[in-house]
Amino acid sequence: MKILLTGGLGYIGSHTAVELLNHHHEVIIVDNLANSSLSVLDRLKKITHQEIPFYQIDVANKVELEPVFLHHTFDAIIHFAGLKAVGESVAKPLEYYQNNVLATLNLASFSIKYGVHKFVFSSSATVYGDQPSPLIETMELKTTTNPYGETKAMSERILTDAAKANPPFSVSLLRYFNPIGAHESALIGENPNGIPNNLMPYITKVAKGELKELQIYGQDYPTIDGTGIRDYIHVVDLAKGHIAALNKMKSAVNIYNLGTGKGVSVLELVTAFQNVNHVRVPYKVVGRRPGDLAIVYADPGKAKRELGWETSKTIEDMCRDAWNFEKQNV
Ligand code: NAD
Ligand code: UD1
């Protein structure tokens, strides 16, 4: 298939590009470099030994985007491009709606106009809102708690309505849990700007000595050791989930959780990281982070049953690969 990857130089998009090329698909990347750099393109070439056509454009801008559809005939779109920092979205809600929702609208419109029938969207477990885990696709969605989450819920709705009204246009809404880790080459991985908000990039910076200590947000949750529980998924397993979703679009709207189904606490992740990598991660427990939930993990059964996809990498793999990437690159 010939596939347009928006946001393809970002963390998840770059790993998915490698998997797609490994499976002999043709990949075109568009990215405005808002949260990535051109060096990722060189690294993708090193890993795959292939040239990847790239356009530096803003997909929220229709005028910039349309020529890409005039120059190429795509079989599918995988739409990763988006802003993703929860705290920043609270401070700058309009930028988030403008960027994330317009991007989805533009891509859906051009998909229909230019006859691209398959559309895969990067959604998030955040759309479930506050309800008990395991989270399952049949659950009714609860109110989102921040503008970032709302852009995902709105994009899901836009794509669902568009698919229902425009056969054979069909969409897969992939609800990611917590992607961490990096490619085994250590050439691509997660490289956030500034001080990381998310747990694993913070751990790797502390291990490297760039940040003094990890702050654990709360040890009074009703969990095994009092710290928050999440469903961490290796980014390469996640990338493979996109291939499975592309290969099997069963109906107009397809929704899948991409997670492992296993909950891991903050302390368990820190301990695994230290043991696997033989480095220390100093930490102190502080108060809860506003908006955090105690326990979030997936029921990944539907993706296994319908897509034949399941994760294969362990928490140890995730910790080792994240550290190798941090040591060698950032
Ligand atoms: P990322 O920031 O590394 O990648 C996103 C890419 O999109 C970046 O390269 C950025 O430059 C690009 N981009 C942003 N706005 C754009 C625009 N208007 N036009 C063109 N390019 C644009 O993020 P990621 O972690 O790879 O996430 C990819 C997608 O998955 C995002 O939509 C994100 O919301 C979603 N997601 C991520 C996580 C996570 O934990 N990383 C969890 C759930 C969902
Ligand atoms: C967060 C977002 C979520 C988004 C996801 C990926 C919030 C409330 N949720 O998920 O919407 O889809 O990132 O971008 O921001 N932790 C610490 N110390 C830290 C960082 C995190 O203890 O310095 C803890 C958190 O309390 C949580 C766990 O580690 O229990 C994971 O946190 P994080 O990596 O930020 O992911 P989420 O909060 O699950």
Side-chain angles (χ1 to χ4, degrees), residues 208-282:
K208 211 175 178 186
E210 284 178 19
L211 294 169
K212 189 168 143 256
E213 63 189 359
L214 172 69
Q215 301 188 6
I216 295 186
Y217 297 138
Q219 201 174 9
D220 56 352
Y221 286 108
T223 63
I224 157 181
D225 54 24
T227 65
I229 286 188
R230 295 292 183 273
D231 185 338
Y232 297 98
I233 173 172
H234 196 293
V235 65
V236 171
D237 277 335
L238 183 69
K240 289 178 175 162
H242 295 75
I243 311 228
L246 269 183
N247 288 343
K248 292 200 185 145
M249 289 228 180
K250 285 183 47 166
S251 46
V253 181
N254 309 273
I255 304 179
Y256 296 104
N257 285 339
L258 296 186
T260 66
K262 293 185 205 84
V264 171
S265 77
V266 176
L267 271 178
E268 285 175 327
L269 189 67
V270 171
T271 304
F273 188 92
Q274 297 190 120
N275 290 343
V276 171
N277 296 317
H278 309 291
V279 282
R280 267 178 28 82
V281 180

Side-chain angles (χ1 to χ4, degrees), residues 6-14 30-37 57-61 79-84 99-100 103 121-125 148 152 174-179 190 198 238:
T6 74
L9 295 187
Y11 175 45
I12 304 168
S14 58
V30 301
D31 200 305
N32 67 353
L33 307 183
N35 195 35
S36 52
S37 87
I57 55 156
D58 176 359
V59 293
N61 182 327
H79 175 33
F80 298 99
L83 300 172
K84 62 164 184 175
N99 193 73
N100 293 2
F121 177 62
S122 296
S123 190
S124 163
Y148 163 74
K152 292 296 173 192
L174 304 183
R175 295 179 180 158
Y176 307 159
F177 282 70
N178 289 58
E190 188 170 16
N198 296 117
L238 183 69

